[in-house]
Amino acid sequence: MTSQILVQPRASLGEQGRAQGVHSHSALWHLCSPGNAPLHDKTMPEIPPYEDSPPNVDAITDYDWRHRITYLRLFDAARDGADWREAVEIIFGFDVDAHPERAKRIYDSHLARARWMSEVGYRYLVQGRFVQ
């Protein structure tokens, strides 16, 4: 049985969400959505070109901006208990069976960056701080 790994917003950033202590990755939904609208679209997003590992810097990069939806999808897949192999195949379109070590490296490094974005990086988004 294949689980569906499509991210859905967990809460709005309205007064009620803030009063209930909405997690920071919910704030990312608001900031990353076109026109700050929630992402309800069930269509598969285009997979942006990716590296085996995202930049490991304490700033938001162009790579991070291009992969903001990728990070959210990974974050939600991990939260929902999806198998990492399935997540890599669906989110990155990567053949896990052909290159399992590389697939695991892609998953681990991008999930770590997704967590950094949800714990630290979102502050840079709010402040509009980016590096080229």
Side-chain angles (χ1 to χ4, degrees), residues 13-70:
L13 284 181
E15 292 300 319
Q16 181 180 9
R18 283 190 289 274
Q20 294 174 352
V22 173
H23 297 292
S24 57
H25 83 278
S26 295
L28 288 175
W29 271 111
H30 179 72
L31 293 168
C32 295
S33 301
N36 292 337
L39 298 176
H40 295 287
D41 190 359
K42 294 267 189 199
T43 60
M44 296 298 286
E46 182 178 324
I47 301 168
Y50 59 88
E51 302 291 330
D52 283 9
S53 298
N56 188 18
V57 296
D58 195 26
I60 302 294
T61 66
D62 286 340
Y63 186 92
D64 292 321
W65 184 251
R66 285 191 311 272
H67 287 274
R68 64 196 184 275
I69 303 303
T70 303

Side-chain angles (χ1 to χ4, degrees), residues 4-5 18 61 68 75 80 82 95 103-104 116 127 129:
Q4 188 178 34
I5 303 174
R18 283 190 289 274
T61 66
R68 64 196 184 275
F75 193 76
D80 294 344
D95 183 357
K104 184 69 167 142
W116 177 85
Q127 297 167 356
R129 292 175 32 199

